[in-house]
Amino acid sequence: MRNTVFKALKNSVLSKRFRSIGYLPRWIIFAIDVFIILLASIITYVIIYSLSNLRYNYFGMATRYGLIIIVNAIFFLVYRTYAGIIRHSTFIDGVKLLISTSTSYLFLLLINFSCKIFFDKVVFVTAGLFINYILSFLLLFLFRILIKYLFEKYIHFEDGKKLINAVIYGSDANAISVANALRTETPSRFKLKGFIDKFNQTATSKSILNLPIINQNKKIYVILRSLKADALIIAEKGLSTEETIALVEECLEFNFKVFTIPVITDWEDEKQISNKVKSFQIEDLLDRKPIVLDTRAISTQLEGKTVMITGAAGSIGSEITRQILSFNPKKIIILDQAETPLHNLGLEIKPINKNVILKLVLADVRNKKELEMVFEKFKPNVVYHAAAYKHVPLMEENPSQAVYTNVMGTKNLADLSIEYGVDCFVMVSTDKAVNPSSVMGASKRIAEKYVQALNHSPNVDANSSKTKFITTRFGNVLGSNGSIVPLFTKQIEEGGPLTITHPDIIRYFMTIPEACQLVLEAAAMGKGGEIFIFDMGQPVKIIDLAKKMIRLAGFIPYKEIDIKIIGLRPGEKLYEELLNDSSKTLSTHNDKIMIAQEMQEEYSTIHTATLALLQSIEQSSNVDVVAAMKRIVPEFKSMNSVFENLDV
């Protein structure tokens, strides 16, 4: 019966009006509080005077209770008890009410005793004052509790937005603290429906904070449905990565939102608790073991040295820069041709380590004269070469530009590194250089071949150069500029559809920080001439990635946001590889890093072919340029491209 009545209230016209109510002006709250004091006075009169039949000869009822109301009103103003928002009342508001009514009571007692001493008359019956004090506080307090309860329990709206019905996964001290913080927060974002206890499988029913604790003896989605919840907040810190991923994927499969929150002790402050409750990101669902870096070897290579990063304003280059700062180099030269991103990066990283000299250089890796001035001025000890053109379809339409940047740019930097005695040159490459099917991949493979051959060049030995050339090769990084994740995020924000080139296309993924950590580790362990490949984990089907991202955003795939197949782009493969068919790998002390054993080419051969290729981009057509690239990289077979006829 009770639930039926409340349900009717919830759906009534009055309830709908409440939902549209803003915050009442403070003077109305003040007036309501004064009215409550009047009500308490009337009740006191009934109790004291009607039951005991006491009468006063000195002061009338209006005078006495008028004085009570005036004194309480004054202290309401002093303590600003009316200033809080009733539906968001907290423990502090209750304390303010107690202090205000207590002060009023003591002040009225003082008036009563003063009149007794100086005039031998009393204004109030002392017991009546005490009853009035108790009733006033209780009615004021209960009024706020009732309003708060009605809004939280039956009017699930906050600033025009529906509250999220959520269940907390966990019932330990951390989970309880999270629940308590969320319940008392103003404004609220979640309406808590209960807890799920993983470790207690007994059938006994328990509750915390008047919320049920549900034993996890059923599937999570079944429990969420039974509690009429929309979301799960994971506050249990005893879960392994595999358990967390399984939990998230189960919720997403049945269209429940999933949130996570830091351990209470990691909170910087306790304000805006809801802001600490974060949705899972697609990076969180990569089943990746944490990386253990050999920080001593990296420090030996970088500490006190001058380091240059090309393409520093890009996603990979900027993250390499951030990570290098923690190893205390003497100076960092961040070089890029993109003015605004370079400027923004400088503003971001300057405060990170003020002991490191930071130089921002606006230059193009294709311009050797510009680069030579940079090498002459700063004389870097270590070079991380991340500058590259990497968009496959765009490079398929502009092969000359791919060669200019990816081949000539690499050659310029590598040659200058030898000339100016750089200790270590690290090239950031891609898995698209393996059995390339695109101009972009082939251009990176030619660059790989050049730096490998340069490392073993007889001319290098003759010049007594100490430069070691190292190549790092990995697949897609989540969130990098131009990658699929930012594209999907943008498409979701626009309401879809998400565009996928083929339903069976798969890719390897890793996070940007993880990729950059492995680049630093490989550079420190390399002896020169190696191609390091990284453990990319299990390949991900892009259509599955799209579905997960849609669900993480709180939508239903194909129903609320569509997925559209648009066909493979020029140069695009269904899958990528990290090794050529004839290549083998050697293990290293880091199980996430391996060395690819590939055929070494003579420096004179690759140098001559590279010069011819660079000469052709100024004199020949795109077809001739690509044909020259295929001669240098015989395994380069074009796919979905106008250049496929060159492979016949």
Side-chain angles (χ1 to χ4, degrees), residues 382-612:
V382 182
V383 174
Y384 290 90
H385 175 38
Y389 279 156
K390 59 184 180 181
H391 293 276
V392 171
L394 192 58
M395 293 304 100
E396 209 68 18
E397 295 179 10
N398 300 275
S400 295
Q401 294 304 312
V403 173
Y404 266 126
T405 299
N406 296 349
V407 179
M408 180 186 286
T410 302
K411 182 179 183 303
N412 289 341
L413 287 161
D415 291 344
L416 289 170
S417 293
I418 290 177
E419 184 178 342
Y420 286 89
V422 170
D423 297 331
C424 181
F425 178 94
V426 184
M427 176 185 169
V428 176
S429 190
T430 171
D431 58 359
K432 292 177 176 62
V434 180
N435 295 324
S437 62
S438 64
V439 168
M440 192 281 282
S443 67
K444 294 294 285 185
R445 179 58 187 144
I446 294 169
E448 285 184 358
K449 285 190 171 193
Y450 186 83
V451 298
Q452 267 193 298
L454 196 60
N455 191 84
H456 303 290
S457 167
N459 294 331
V460 172
D461 294 334
N463 293 334
S464 300
S465 172
K466 56 183 179 180
T467 306
K468 59 180 181 180
F469 290 89
I470 294 166
T471 300
T472 59
R473 182 192 289 167
F474 50 87
N476 298 276
V477 285
L478 290 170
S480 65
N481 295 333
S483 74
I484 197 70
V485 172
L487 174 62
F488 282 172
T489 300
K490 183 175 183 293
Q491 290 175 337
I492 290 171
E493 290 172 352
E494 294 172 349
L498 270 63
T499 53
I500 295 176
T501 56
H502 194 282
D504 297 324
I505 195 166
I506 62 173
R507 290 291 182 267
Y508 290 95
F509 286 101
M510 67 194 330
T511 64
I512 294 175
E514 182 182 16
C516 295
Q517 286 172 349
L518 292 174
V519 168
L520 297 185
E521 176 89 353
M525 73 169 67
K527 301 185 183 303
E530 303 99 335
I531 295 180
F532 288 99
I533 60 175
F534 301 157
D535 174 16
M536 299 295 296
Q538 295 299 316
V540 177
K541 204 169 184 179
I542 299 300
I543 196 165
D544 293 337
L545 180 75
K547 292 175 184 176
K548 285 181 181 178
M549 288 191 66
I550 292 172
R551 291 189 176 110
L552 282 171
F555 300 103
I556 302 174
Y558 299 111
K559 185 176 180 180
E560 295 177 310
I561 292 185
D562 197 13
I563 299 174
K564 185 178 179 181
I565 307 299
I566 60 174
L568 289 171
R569 299 173 300 174
E572 188 173 33
K573 295 181 183 179
L574 280 179
Y575 60 92
E576 302 290 358
E577 307 153 275
L578 290 172
L579 285 172
N580 288 312
D581 296 335
S582 60
S583 300
K584 297 180 181 179
T585 62
L586 293 175
S587 61
T588 68
H589 68 266
N590 189 321
D591 58 4
K592 286 183 174 289
I593 302 176
M594 296 162 286
I595 301 173
Q597 287 187 300
E598 299 195 356
M599 294 292 294
Q600 296 283 347
E601 295 198 29
E602 292 290 334
Y603 172 74
S604 57
T605 302
I606 191 66
H607 182 255
T608 301
T610 302
L611 289 178

Side-chain angles (χ1 to χ4, degrees), residues 116-376:
K116 177 66 176 175
I117 293 172
F118 294 108
F119 305 107
D120 197 26
K121 299 174 182 179
V122 292
V123 185
F124 310 102
V125 175
T126 305
L129 270 183
F130 182 74
I131 293 172
N132 184 270
Y133 157 59
I134 297 298
L135 285 174
S136 297
F137 172 72
L138 288 178
L139 290 175
L140 289 166
F141 186 76
L142 288 174
F143 164 68
R144 283 158 171 77
I145 293 296
L146 178 63
I147 297 299
K148 183 178 176 70
Y149 178 79
L150 287 175
F151 268 93
E152 288 187 354
K153 188 74 174 177
Y154 301 107
I155 305 175
H156 302 169
F157 281 78
E158 188 63 46
D159 298 331
K161 295 183 180 179
K162 191 175 186 298
L163 296 180
I164 300 172
N165 292 326
V167 174
I168 291 184
Y169 191 88
S171 60
D172 58 6
N174 185 73
I176 296 170
S177 298
V178 168
N180 195 46
L182 290 174
R183 280 162 61 93
T184 58
E185 180 187 39
T186 57
S188 182
R189 178 182 168 197
F190 297 95
K191 176 176 174 56
L192 299 183
K193 307 290 285 186
F195 297 85
I196 295 177
D197 190 344
K198 171 192 174 186
F199 298 104
N200 184 5
Q201 300 297 324
T202 61
T204 57
S205 58
K206 299 179 181 178
S207 64
I208 302 175
L209 303 175
N210 203 31
L211 296 170
I213 303 176
I214 309 298
N215 299 320
Q216 193 184 343
N217 49 17
K218 297 178 182 178
K219 292 287 187 180
I220 292 296
Y221 74 90
V222 175
I223 298 174
L224 294 177
R225 281 178 180 172
S226 67
L227 293 173
K228 297 181 180 179
D230 306 310
L232 184 72
I233 299 174
I234 299 178
E236 176 62 63
K237 298 307 170 184
L239 294 177
S240 65
T241 302
E242 293 79 8
E243 289 174 321
T244 301
I245 292 174
L247 194 62
V248 173
E249 291 189 341
E250 181 183 340
C251 290
L252 294 180
E253 184 180 353
F254 292 92
N255 301 312
F256 291 103
K257 296 179 181 179
V258 193
F259 299 93
T260 184
I261 191 166
V263 180
I264 293 287
T265 53
D266 293 339
W267 296 2
E268 293 180 3
D269 56 69
E270 294 187 5
K271 296 180 181 179
Q272 294 299 318
I273 305 303
S274 287
N275 291 341
K276 301 179 187 298
V277 182
K278 301 294 185 183
S279 298
F280 271 81
Q281 301 300 311
I282 195 64
E283 292 90 340
D284 301 322
L285 300 184
L286 282 179
D287 188 7
R288 315 278 302 173
K289 296 179 181 178
I291 298 174
V292 180
L293 293 178
D294 184 357
T295 55
R296 181 178 297 179
I298 299 173
S299 293
T300 300
Q301 184 184 43
L302 300 178
E303 189 171 4
K305 303 292 180 62
T306 297
V307 182
M308 183 167 77
I309 301 104
T310 70
S315 51
I316 297 296
S318 61
E319 180 61 24
I320 289 175
T321 304
R322 294 184 194 98
Q323 293 191 17
I324 286 176
L325 280 168
S326 64
F327 292 99
N328 296 315
K330 176 184 178 182
K331 186 183 299 181
I332 296 182
I333 299 102
I334 55 175
L335 184 148
D336 206 291
Q337 65 170 340
E339 176 194 12
T340 300
L342 185 66
H343 172 70
N344 293 340
L345 177 64
L347 293 177
E348 175 198 338
I349 65 176
K350 276 182 181 178
I352 296 177
N353 189 340
K354 295 182 179 179
N355 295 323
V356 178
I357 300 171
L358 194 64
K359 297 293 182 181
L360 279 64
V361 176
L362 198 62
D364 189 338
V365 295
R366 298 176 296 186
N367 190 322
K368 190 172 183 179
K369 288 185 178 180
E370 285 183 8
L371 291 179
E372 189 163 13
M373 288 189 289
V374 175
F375 275 82
E376 175 65 32

